[in-house]
Amino acid sequence: MTETQKHLLKLFKEIIDICHENDIVYYMAGGTLIGVMRHGGFIPWDDDLDIMMTRDEWEKFVEICRNSLPDDRFLECQELNRDYPNTFGRYTDTSTCAIHMNEALGDGHAGYVIDIIVLDPVPDAEAHRKYMEDFMLYSDLINPTVNYSYRFNINRERYIEAFERIQRGEREAVLQELEQRMFSYKEEDCDYYVLRWGGVVFRFEKSMYGRSRWGEFEGLKCRIPDRTSDYLVQHFGDDWEFIPPHDEQASHDAVFSLDVDYKTIQDDYLPLIDVASVKDKWRDRKRFYFDCMDERFQNGQRLIGAHAELYRMEIERQCSETDHNLTQLLEEGKYDELLQFFGRHIRTLTSRPLIGREDFSGIRRFEDPIFVDPGDNILYIILMTMINRNMIAKANRLLDVREQKKGPLTEQLQQIRDFVRDYRRAVSDYDLGRQEEAVRCAETLFKAYPDNFSLAMFLSRAYIEQKMYDKAEPVINESIRKYPDEGYFLKYLGDYYKEYKADEDKAMELYHQAAGSTKNGIVLFEIDNILKGNNG
C-alpha cells in the first residue's frame, strides 16, 4: 500500500467502528468495490476510497457525527456545512491536506477524505426524472465550478430564478425547497435508489443492495452489495474484472500532504487570490453556459445525427461488398471471424458519442442515445457475436437503444434479451448463495450457446468452487482449446490438478502459465495468494 492508502484505510476503520457500534449499514462503492473483488483491497494505483449509505442510514450517521467526532475529524455535508461545495458526504481528516479544485478557494474542510454517497429512494422512472432535474439544479447552485444542468439542456429559467433569489439572501430557503422535493419519498414505498451525486444520478434496483453481504478489504471485513456483480457490470461494464491498460489507470488531481494540514497551505496562498472576484467569474461562466446551452444542444444533435447516418451507410456498404456469407458464419459459430469483420462497427455502435456512458461526460447521451440502424438481421448477427465474446452488457445496452428508438424487438432479438436476462439471473443467484440454481441455469444456457465465452468462464469457476470436478475438466479443457490466449482457464485447470488430482507440481506450472497470459484481475489475485501460500 502507498502512504496515502494506509491513511485512507485508517479513516475507513474509524467509519467501520462508528457503523458497527450504531448498527449502520454501508456498502463499498465504485472503484473501491472493484478493489474488494479484484484485489482484496485498494486498486494499486487508486488514491481514494468510496462508500455508500441509504438515506435512512446516512441520516443516522450524520446525527452521530454531529457532536461526537474528534477535533481533527469533520463530516463534510450539506446537513452540517452550507459552504461545502459538494452534494455527497466526506469524512475528513482536518490535520492533513487534500485540496481539490472546487475547494481551492477555502470553502469547506480539505483534508484526506472518505467519500460517502447517499442512495435516495424513488418509486419509479417518472420520479427519477423529476429527481434528476431537481438535483442538477441543486448541484449547480451548490458547486459553482462545475456545470451540471448544461449537459441535459435543462433548468435555464429555474437556475436564473433561483440564483436571483439567492442574491436576495434566500439561499437556505431555495436549497430547502429542493431538498424537500427530492428527499421526500419513503423507503418502504420505493423499488429504486438514486445516487445523490450531480455527476451521474444513477438509478438502481433496491434489491441490488439488500442488507449487504461481506467482503474483505485489506484484511478488514467490509459490507458489499448483495448483487455485487450486477452493480459492477451496470457501473463499469463487462470487463470490470480485467486490469485496464496503463494509460487508463487514473488517479485524482489535488494538493496532497499527510504532514501539513490544509489550513496551513491555504493560509499561504489565499491572501494572494481575490476570492470574491474568482467566485463571481465562476458564476458568470455558469450563467454563460446556461445562456448558450440550447444552441449548443441543437448543433450537437445535428452533428451526431449526420455522423450516425454516415456510420449506417458504412455498415451497409461493407456488408453488401463482403465475400463472407455472414449468416453462414453465424450458423457455424465462427465468432472470432465475425468479431474481426464487425469489430470496428461494434466499437462505433456502442461508442460514447452515440449511446453515451453512465459517467459525468457521457450521461447526457446515455439518457438520449443515437441508434445507428444496420437492419435487424445484421443487428442480430452483431449482437450474437457480442454476447458470445464477453460483451453481454454492451449487447444489452444496444438492445435497449434499439427498442427505445425503433419499438418492440423481433423474435430473434428477443431471444438475445432472454439470454442476457437468464445469464444475469444466474450470476445474481450465485452472488446470493443460490449456487445450485445458478449452475443449473448456466448449464441450460450453455447447451444453447456452447461457444459463449462468458458462460465458459462462469461454469469453469463455479464447477471448481462447488467441487464438481467431473463436470469442470471437460469444460475447462475445451475452453483452453477454443481460447488458447486467455490464461483464465489455465488457472482453473490448475485448481483441478491441485484440489482433485493432488498434483501440486502440475498445478504450479499451470498457475505460472495463467499469470502470464491473462489480464483478469480476480484470477491474478487468486494466483498471487496461492503462490504466496506455497512460498510461505
Side-chain angles (χ1 to χ4, degrees):
M1 279 189 289
T2 66
E3 291 305 310
T4 289
Q5 290 170 346
K6 290 177 184 177
H7 197 74
L8 292 176
L9 188 63
K10 176 184 175 183
L11 298 180
F12 180 51
K13 287 178 183 176
E14 295 171 10
I15 291 177
I16 288 178
D17 288 342
I18 293 171
C19 291
H20 179 71
E21 290 168 8
N22 296 278
D23 192 28
I24 293 173
V25 175
Y26 66 90
Y27 311 92
M28 307 301 269
T32 304
L33 183 55
I34 287 183
V36 173
M37 305 304 293
R38 200 173 70 192
H39 304 274
F42 285 101
I43 294 175
W45 55 89
D46 215 356
D47 59 3
D48 70 351
L49 197 157
D50 303 323
I51 65 174
M52 298 176 290
M53 295 179 188
T54 66
R55 188 187 66 208
D56 291 352
E57 301 297 303
W58 166 249
E59 288 174 353
K60 287 194 291 183
F61 188 79
V62 171
E63 287 309 306
I64 290 161
C65 292
R66 189 185 292 272
N67 299 308
S68 63
L69 293 181
D71 290 341
D72 59 353
R73 297 291 185 268
F74 193 88
L75 182 62
E76 283 283 29
C77 58
Q78 288 301 310
E79 290 89 341
L80 301 180
N81 180 16
R82 282 301 198 195
D83 290 330
Y84 171 57
N86 270 317
T87 57
F88 52 86
R90 279 183 164 168
Y91 182 84
T92 308
D93 177 358
T94 58
S95 69
T96 60
C97 177
I99 303 173
H100 295 79
M101 185 183 73
N102 67 338
E103 300 162 322
L105 297 186
D107 296 323
H109 299 71
Y112 273 68
V113 299
I114 304 296
D115 287 339
I116 306 174
I117 314 295
V118 179
L119 295 164
D120 287 315
V122 295
D124 51 38
E126 178 60 20
H128 173 235
R129 184 191 63 78
K130 292 176 181 177
Y131 179 104
M132 185 193 74
E133 291 187 5
D134 283 341
F135 202 77
M136 293 300 104
L137 175 60
Y138 184 71
S139 301
D140 274 317
L141 296 172
I142 285 172
N143 188 344
T145 67
V146 181
N147 296 288
Y148 297 96
S149 302
Y150 171 78
R151 299 167 299 159
F152 295 88
N153 197 37
I154 59 174
N155 288 331
R156 181 178 183 275
E157 288 76 18
R158 296 179 74 199
Y159 176 80
I160 293 170
E161 178 187 354
F163 182 74
E164 289 175 352
R165 287 181 62 190
I166 288 172
Q167 294 298 95
R168 297 196 300 267
E170 299 180 46
R171 175 181 171 82
E172 186 62 25
V174 169
L175 295 181
Q176 284 188 10
E177 287 169 13
L178 287 166
E179 289 166 349
Q180 287 167 7
R181 278 205 300 272
M182 293 184 296
F183 311 146
S184 62
Y185 298 109
K186 295 181 180 179
E187 177 91 22
E188 59 269 23
D189 296 334
C190 298
D191 294 325
Y192 300 95
Y193 287 130
V194 177
L195 204 62
R196 192 188 294 184
W197 175 51
V200 179
V201 188
F202 287 105
R203 178 163 61 102
F204 299 100
E205 296 174 353
K206 278 175 59 176
S207 62
M208 192 175 288
Y209 294 91
R211 184 65 184 175
S212 82
R213 56 194 181 95
W214 295 101
E216 185 172 303
F217 187 83
E218 301 295 351
L220 295 175
K221 192 178 179 183
C222 65
R223 290 183 179 272
I224 62 175
D226 279 356
R227 291 162 48 200
T228 287
S229 179
D230 285 345
Y231 169 91
L232 290 173
V233 167
Q234 180 174 337
H235 224 36
F236 299 102
D238 299 289
D239 52 358
W240 68 266
E241 293 185 13
F242 292 84
I243 306 296
H246 183 73
D247 60 357
E248 295 179 19
Q249 299 175 9
S251 54
H252 295 81
D253 292 325
V255 177
F256 292 109
S257 175
L258 287 169
D259 303 314
V260 181
D261 69 90
Y262 75 96
K263 286 293 292 180
T264 299
I265 294 175
Q266 285 184 339
D267 287 346
D268 281 344
Y269 74 75
L270 280 177
L272 306 176
I273 301 173
D274 186 341
V275 172
S277 175
V278 173
K279 287 185 176 180
D280 285 342
K281 289 176 180 176
W282 272 348
R283 293 187 189 101
D284 290 344
R285 175 177 177 270
K286 182 164 285 194
R287 178 64 180 267
F288 169 78
Y289 271 83
F290 273 102
D291 287 341
C292 71
M293 68 182 181
D294 188 62
E295 181 180 355
R296 164 255 181 194
F297 174 79
Q298 299 301 333
N299 287 337
Q301 288 289 88
R302 286 191 288 269
L303 182 62
I304 194 61
H307 284 165
E309 179 60 15
L310 287 174
Y311 297 145
R312 186 197 65 77
M313 292 169 62
E314 172 60 18
I315 295 173
E316 184 180 78
R317 181 195 61 78
Q318 185 172 345
C319 289
S320 66
E321 293 179 357
T322 183
D323 294 330
H324 294 89
N325 184 327
L326 300 175
T327 301
Q328 184 177 345
L329 290 178
L330 177 63
E331 291 172 351
E332 294 172 356
K334 295 184 177 179
Y335 296 109
D336 289 335
E337 293 182 39
L338 287 168
L339 184 59
Q340 186 174 6
F341 182 84
F342 283 116
R344 182 166 60 88
H345 299 311
I346 290 172
R347 289 190 293 274
T348 297
L349 292 172
T350 61
S351 65
R352 178 187 295 272
L354 289 177
I355 66 170
R357 291 289 185 275
E358 290 186 275
D359 59 22
F360 185 90
S361 60
I363 191 63
R364 162 68 187 87
R365 185 55 63 199
F366 186 88
E367 294 292 329
D368 183 21
I370 301 292
F371 178 55
V372 175
D373 187 3
D376 285 340
N377 290 335
I378 294 298
L379 181 62
Y380 174 72
I381 297 173
I382 289 173
L383 289 168
M384 283 293 290
T385 302
M386 294 174 71
I387 66 169
N388 281 288
R389 286 301 176 264
N390 201 36
M391 290 181 273
I392 294 175
K394 285 183 178 180
N396 196 46
R397 168 64 177 154
L398 198 51
L399 273 174
D400 287 343
V401 174
R402 154 64 179 78
E403 190 170 21
Q404 178 182 341
K405 297 298 182 179
K406 200 178 170 183
L409 302 177
T410 65
E411 183 177 347
Q412 281 188 322
L413 296 181
Q414 184 60 46
Q415 288 174 359
I416 296 176
R417 170 62 55 76
D418 293 343
F419 165 82
V420 174
R421 179 201 61 211
D422 291 343
Y423 172 75
R424 292 309 316 167
R425 187 175 69 234
V427 173
S428 293
D429 283 343
Y430 202 83
D431 260 2
L432 296 170
R434 298 190 286 262
Q435 282 87 4
E436 287 187 21
E437 188 176 337
V439 169
R440 269 199 313 273
C441 179
E443 288 175 336
T444 299
L445 289 174
F446 203 42
K447 289 177 183 176
Y449 298 87
D451 297 310
N452 190 280
F453 181 81
S454 301
L455 284 170
M457 291 174 65
F458 178 86
L459 286 172
S460 295
R461 172 186 289 271
Y463 283 153
I464 291 296
E465 289 180 349
Q466 301 305 308
K467 303 188 184 307
M468 302 167 73
Y469 298 113
D470 289 344
K471 289 186 173 183
E473 189 269 339
V475 170
I476 293 171
N477 277 316
E478 178 63 11
S479 298
I480 290 171
R481 184 190 69 77
K482 288 181 178 177
Y483 317 113
D485 297 327
E486 176 48 67
Y488 180 97
F489 301 102
L490 291 171
K491 187 269 176 187
Y492 290 104
L493 187 61
D495 289 344
Y496 172 81
Y497 275 96
K498 184 173 188 290
E499 297 171 14
Y500 184 60
K501 294 291 189 180
D503 189 338
E504 192 81 13
D505 292 338
K506 179 65 174 179
M508 290 302 123
E509 177 187 342
L510 289 164
Y511 291 146
H512 283 287
Q513 290 177 26
S517 57
T518 187
K519 293 292 184 183
N520 187 289
I522 293 177
V523 161
L524 291 172
F525 176 62
E526 291 174 348
I527 292 172
D528 188 53
N529 284 339
I530 291 168
L531 297 180
K532 283 178 180 176
N534 257 46
N535 293 331

